[in-house]
Amino acid sequence: MEYSRAESFVGHVHRHPAQLWMRHEADPDGTLRRIEARIIIDGGAYRSTSDSVVGNAVYHAAGPYRCDSVSVEGVAVRTNNPPCGAMRGFGAVQACFGHEAQMDKLADALGMDRVEFRIHNAVRRGDPLATSGQVIDTSAPVTEILERLRRMPLPAEDLSDDPRLLPGGTGLTTSRPMVRRGVGYAVGLKNLCFSGGFDDYAEARVAITPFGVEVHTAAVEVGQGLGMACAQIARTVLGIEDVVVYYDDTSKIGSAGSTSASRQTQMTGGAVMEAARMARRIALERGGGDELDGEGVWKDGVLVTPMEDLVGRENIEYHTRFHHQQTDAPDDNGQGDIHVDFAFAAHRAVVDVDQELGLFRVVQVDTVQDVGFMINPRSVVGQIEGGTMQGIGLATLEEIVVEDGVIKNPTFTDYLLPTFLDAPPIEIEVIEEPSSFGPFGAKGVGEPPTVSSTAAVVAAIRDATGLELNRTPVRPEHVALGSR
């Protein structure tokens, strides 16, 4: 079956549209005391993942903040609109847009610095998660993320009349005196791997052969660098350079689960690490030594068993099914140890706005992210850049226009995506605090960049214009002076 582009817009799932109502209360010293939220998401014509998405929106509705009194209600509805399903961020993006707008409003009402207000209320290791009561017993460097983010240098004020550096670009519609600059911050959290009592696992097989190492997995590589990470893990554990990753189907090896929920590095990577360790143990026991590399087994610096003798006629292999720590299904009040791990990220966006014409340009985005451990730094940076750009697109361009159940812009002429010219400089810093599980303490990094980047960009446009801007994407008519 082959879809046309228009059919793909109709038949493939999209991010859930959501409406949120939120109320935040705090003491005069800035301590959060009460959060109330109602969230409705539009699932479209089919159920798909709507129950999980609204669950995640509810679990993340209070954000990465401490608060003793929280009440959140979430509803997913079937409609006659096109179907919605799994999309990067999985409910946390919608929740973050709401709670970060609220944190700015409340900080302003209290006369507090917006970043300092967030730091004052930031969740820390050992704190309970506001919406489930779960104590966060893994890394939670929210305070450090925010402190490092605000220390990053802001871009210099532009004085050039180069149209490429102005809102509207080479259309020559904006002049420099009409431009106002805004700065916006947002911080979010995202649960990692499958939660809520689901038995999450991934299988992998590692084989030591006369020619090197084979890693077998049914995991799906979608460009995030999973294959490279698996090869690096096996290479590091075994000390053998020649590693090949084979993507088998499930007639040859058990499932590795879906490539979603920022889980594959921790789950499939964890399975590869466990299998490699066991294969190494078998090789050392068979070879009678204490070190292993591509030449064979060594003892006291002497090669005692060459690789061809070690492997013989049968490869040394180990197959494993890796599980993370069991989680709880939520009780009737949504409470329990529902999640196995979390990742945190914050963004600062700088945006130039020509309010007279309703044009804006994202000048720079800075971000600090909690990554656990970087197995491959280049892949981590690529994931953070890509996720941030996706968030910028959601803030400023990307919108499926539906009228009476019909998509009005089912082409890439009318559905606008960020291009290279829309991509600002993105400065990235990472915090490496080992996760509670996963290879070498690595965390999934794919979703957190999208969670907080959208909220930060819209916050910067608010800062430049003084407008409330309670929807995304922000259109020119929402900003232009003459249209209000």
Side-chain angles (χ1 to χ4, degrees), residues 10-19 39-54 74-86 94 402:
V10 175
H12 286 135
V13 298
H14 310 284
R15 189 182 300 280
H16 289 75
Q19 292 190 13
I39 301 170
I40 297 178
I41 68 168
D42 179 352
Y46 301 99
R47 180 176 180 176
S48 185
T49 58
S50 292
D51 51 351
S52 298
V53 171
V54 74
V75 178
V77 295
R78 276 199 186 94
T79 69
N80 289 328
N81 289 326
C84 297
Q94 294 91 324
V402 179

Side-chain angles (χ1 to χ4, degrees), residues 339-400:
H339 307 293
V340 68
D341 206 356
F342 302 90
F344 303 85
H347 284 79
R348 181 182 66 194
V350 179
V351 180
D352 281 351
V353 181
D354 181 339
Q355 196 170 357
E356 184 178 49
L357 298 176
L359 300 175
F360 36 83
R361 169 179 170 263
V362 181
V363 175
Q364 181 169 310
V365 176
D366 305 309
T367 181
V368 182
Q369 184 165 323
D370 153 44
V371 300
F373 172 78
M374 290 196 292
I375 291 176
N376 188 294
R378 184 169 292 181
S379 291
V380 169
V381 168
Q383 285 286 285
I384 294 174
E385 288 179 339
T388 298
M389 277 308 303
Q390 195 166 18
I392 292 171
L394 180 59
T396 61
L397 293 171
E398 297 188 50
E399 182 175 18
I400 294 175

Side-chain angles (χ1 to χ4, degrees), residues 415-435:
Y415 180 92
L416 302 180
L417 290 164
T419 69
F420 186 82
L421 292 176
D422 300 303
I426 300 174
E427 299 296 326
I428 298 169
E429 292 188 12
V430 300
I431 293 175
E432 293 185 281
E433 290 185 5
S435 69

